[in-house]
Every structure is written in C-alpha cells, then in structure tokens.
Amino acid sequence: MSSERRLVMPKLGLTMTEGAVVEWSVAPGARFAAGQTLFVVESEKTAVEIEAPADGVLHEVLVPLDEVVPVGTEIGKWTLEGHVAVSDAERREQEADAPAPDAGRIVATPLARRHANAKGIALAEVTATGPRGRVVAADVEAAVKARDASTAQAGMGASLADSSTGTRETPTISHRTMASRVSASKREIPHFYLGIDVDAGALTTLRRSLNERPGQARISVTHLLMAAVAEALRREPSMNRVWLDDALVRLPTLDVGLAIDTPHGLVSPVVRDLGAKSLAAIAETVDAAIARAQDAALRPSDHGGAAIALSNAGMHDVRHMISIIVPGQSAILGVGSMQSCFRPDAQGRPELRREFSIMLSADHRVHTGVSALRFLNALKAVLQQPASLVRAGG
C-alpha cells in the first residue's frame, strides 16, 4: 500500500541552521532504491550527498535548486511502495537520462561561485572535492590560501628563494582541510590541559580474558577506551556539553569521536550512542567507523554531535600526547603508549607495573579545572576497575 512521505532539509551538523539543494539525482516520477543518492545539499562550506532511506518513488520537488531554506523545511515528497527493486540496469538508465554537464563547464555550488568571484579565483584553478567532482566553497578557500601563501613566499625576495635548499610540496585537499580546522580550533577555543597516569594491569587482564573466548570477536584497547569514555561521561554528565552560540548545550546521547589516521588524512568520525551499547556492540560499531574512514566512505551521520573525542596513540612509542580539540566539540583525550615503571607496593617496596598516560584538552568556556579533573578521575577509575565495561549481552 502506498504511503506518501516528506523529504526535509537535513541537519548535517550541530551548527547547521539552513541549507540549499544544489542537485536532484532522481527526477520526479522516477523510482529509487535504499542507499541511492536522492539529492545533494550544500551547507556552510560543504556539499553532501543524501541517500534514500528506503525504496520508493520521488513524487514531487517543492524547493527550487539553490534556494536556501531552514533545516526541517519540506523540500519534496516521496512514495513508499514496499520494496521497489531498482535493478542495476534501471539505475544505469536513470543516470544516463540525467542531464550531463557541458564538457567545458565547471560544476560548482552557488556558494563556491560567489566565493570565487569575491576572491578573484578562477574555478578552473580549483581542485574539486565535492560529490561527483563538484567544486564546493571549501575548495575555493583552500585555493585562496594556497595563492596567498605562494604570494607571501614570493614576496620574501629572490635571495631567500635562491639560498633555500628545501623542496616545496603542494598539500593535498585533506591536509589543507585539516590545517584549516586545527588552526580555527586553536584560535577560537581556549584550551587547557590536564594529565593523569593509569595503571593498565586490570585492563590488560580483562582484555586477555575476553580475547581467549572461542568464537568471539577480538577486543582492542581502543574498544575498551571508547567504552570507558562513555561510562565516564555517564558518571560525569557535565562533560557531555559543548559551547554553541554563546550558550552551553547538553547533548542527549553519549557520542564519542575517534581520531583516525588514514591514507587520505586525519579524520574524526563520531561513534553514536555508546551508553546504550554492550562492549561487543561498541567494538563492532567502532570497527565499522574505522573501515569507512579508511575507505574514504564516511557518511553524513558520521560527523558532528559529540562533545569529546579520543585520540589513541598507544601503538606508537609516546609517553604524553596533547591534542587539539575538534571544532564543535569541547574536549579531546590523547592516550599514550604503555610504559613499564616501578611504583611502591603496600609495603613500600618497588613493584614493576605497566602504565599509560591520558592527556585531556578541554574548552575553558565549558569546563573548569575541577569539573575536568572529576571526569578524568572517573575515567581512571573505570579503566583501573574495568568490570563495568562488560555489560549484559557483551
């Protein structure tokens, strides 16, 4: 039985308030399959492909292309008709029927074109990173920064250039994006830092026992750390807040970002609702996010919404790691590698132990030293007595 449903302007991040549809990938009256791209939304500096939530038919488009509308505005109607199986041949036929861009025309979002005109940048000189080769505003900004950096370098004088033995490398789009984001974070967020050492004995024992179970997926230190951060957030809910539009915003679920080093650059997808998951489910969800990051296949739902991120450098030889807060969040944890050290036992005699350090970078607009220390000590308690991480069904 048919059932008409609404398509609305999606909210792609905590700070997004409006957006524009810059492309419809399916024409009114055409069938589509779950996961197929329906339309492309431009918000702030990014263009994102929005996938169909289920099989269906696009019934009506209500908002013209490039018209900026608030989040939640109805932009179209579609009909759910059970499982509408769109074959590969039909999908190829639909794509073939879609109007192709002129051979000499550069496909760009309206915001990118406005930025390019304002900055005097030719779109032909911009490297496109948007969906299907579309130039987005972030690409124009990267080109402007590269041009300004080149101009500044040239202005330093020929003598300096002649005497330099270094080789200039053009950064990738991912590297430029990372540089822009961390620079903005350090400018806009007042960071402060706290560190603590954690006895790894109980955590190591728990992990070993979990991984000795036959037929069970392996549990990594990162899995345990993500579960522990969620548990510490549950114990200290004031840490699950961010600063937005001159106000404190408390987030409704225990979401945690995870910094991942990929061949395409450093990314930090958000793993959702960890407070409602067993350890086994957390491990599965984390592994899926890592796989999408490595394949450069992160989804819109992988971005935004968390108050804190984890950056685990334990696989490298590093004692302390002080990290930069992800824009839009209010804290990040840098985890060092496990080290052997002597500590006094109950009788004061030296005892060999394994420890690792955790460094917390926090936003001073949201957290005080005392509240951040409460969270950090709660996290230490969970990691040193980790039985609470093994929940029913885990």
Side-chain angles (χ1 to χ4, degrees):
M1 181 176 180
S2 298
S3 176
E4 191 172 81
R5 302 192 174 195
R6 301 166 66 242
L7 283 173
V8 300
M9 176 60 64
K11 187 176 181 66
L12 303 177
L14 191 63
T15 60
M16 177 178 172
T17 59
E18 60 185 15
V21 177
V22 296
E23 177 183 313
W24 283 96
S25 303
V26 176
R31 298 193 299 173
F32 54 81
Q36 181 180 348
T37 299
L38 277 182
F39 55 94
V40 180
V41 167
E42 182 184 43
S43 169
E44 298 174 339
K45 302 173 184 177
T46 313
V48 178
E49 292 182 338
I50 305 301
E51 297 179 350
D55 300 341
V57 176
L58 182 62
H59 180 61
E60 185 179 5
V61 171
L62 301 177
V63 175
L65 290 179
D66 302 332
E67 181 175 318
V68 178
V69 296
V71 166
T73 299
E74 186 175 9
I75 59 175
K77 296 181 183 294
W78 64 287
T79 304
L80 179 68
E81 296 184 342
H83 295 286
V84 182
V86 181
S87 67
D88 290 340
E90 286 180 296
R91 187 177 294 112
R92 286 195 296 269
E93 184 177 346
Q94 290 176 7
E95 292 172 352
D97 290 340
D102 298 336
R105 180 174 177 269
I106 298 172
V107 183
T109 67
L111 182 58
R113 291 185 182 277
R114 289 196 297 272
H115 282 2
N117 290 334
K119 299 294 185 179
I121 287 286
L123 289 175
E125 301 173 2
V126 179
T127 301
T129 64
R132 291 193 288 276
R134 182 183 296 273
V135 177
V136 296
D139 302 332
V140 176
E141 291 194 2
V144 170
K145 291 179 180 178
R147 179 194 65 184
D148 293 347
S150 178
T151 302
Q153 180 72 17
M156 294 177 66
S159 60
L160 178 60
D162 293 342
S163 63
S164 175
T165 58
T167 302
R168 288 177 57 81
E169 296 182 7
T170 301
T172 63
I173 293 294
S174 297
H175 199 130
R176 284 201 294 259
T177 300
M178 179 187 70
S180 176
R181 285 170 62 83
V182 296
S183 297
S185 177
K186 289 293 285 185
R187 284 195 308 269
E188 299 169 6
I189 300 177
H191 289 56
F192 71 98
Y193 311 96
L194 299 168
I196 200 166
D197 290 325
V198 177
D199 188 328
L203 195 70
T204 301
T205 300
L206 173 64
R207 179 175 177 242
R208 185 184 303 116
S209 66
L210 292 173
N211 288 333
E212 287 174 352
R213 299 175 301 171
Q216 300 294 317
R218 290 189 63 81
I219 299 297
S220 70
V221 173
T222 296
H223 297 152
L224 292 167
L225 287 169
M226 291 289 281
V229 173
E231 175 62 16
L233 286 174
R234 187 188 66 79
R235 298 183 184 186
E236 295 293 335
S238 66
M239 202 70 187
N240 200 31
R241 300 180 299 169
V242 297
W243 186 261
L244 178 64
D245 297 333
D246 294 327
L248 290 168
V249 177
R250 188 181 297 273
L251 303 185
T253 55
L254 302 182
D255 306 332
V256 181
L258 178 62
I260 303 171
D261 185 28
T262 76
H264 327 287
L266 183 66
V267 295
S268 184
V270 173
V271 185
R272 305 289 177 187
D273 205 10
L274 296 186
K277 290 182 170 66
S278 67
L279 180 59
I282 289 174
E284 182 180 358
T285 308
V286 167
D287 287 346
I290 293 173
R292 290 195 299 274
Q294 295 293 349
D295 293 340
L298 290 175
R299 306 172 302 202
S301 58
D302 290 319
H303 302 287
I308 191 168
L310 172 73
S311 183
N312 179 19
M315 66 291 298
H316 306 288
D317 185 13
V318 58
R319 179 61 174 165
H320 303 292
M321 188 173 74
I322 300 175
S323 305
I324 299 174
I325 299 170
V326 176
Q329 299 180 6
S330 66
I332 186 169
L333 291 159
V335 180
S337 53
M338 292 190 185
Q339 310 278 338
S340 297
C341 61
F342 285 98
R343 300 293 186 198
D345 62 13
Q347 289 73 40
R349 294 172 299 194
E351 179 181 63
L352 184 62
R353 296 182 186 176
R354 295 281 285 171
E355 293 183 351
F356 61 93
S357 73
I358 296 179
M359 302 297 297
L360 174 68
S361 306
D363 184 344
H364 224 324
R365 298 171 301 179
V366 180
H367 310 296
T368 66
V370 172
S371 66
L373 280 172
R374 282 200 302 264
F375 169 78
L376 203 53
N377 280 277
L379 178 60
K380 177 177 180 176
V382 173
L383 292 169
Q384 294 189 163
Q385 296 178 330
S388 62
L389 302 181
V390 185
R391 302 170 185 171

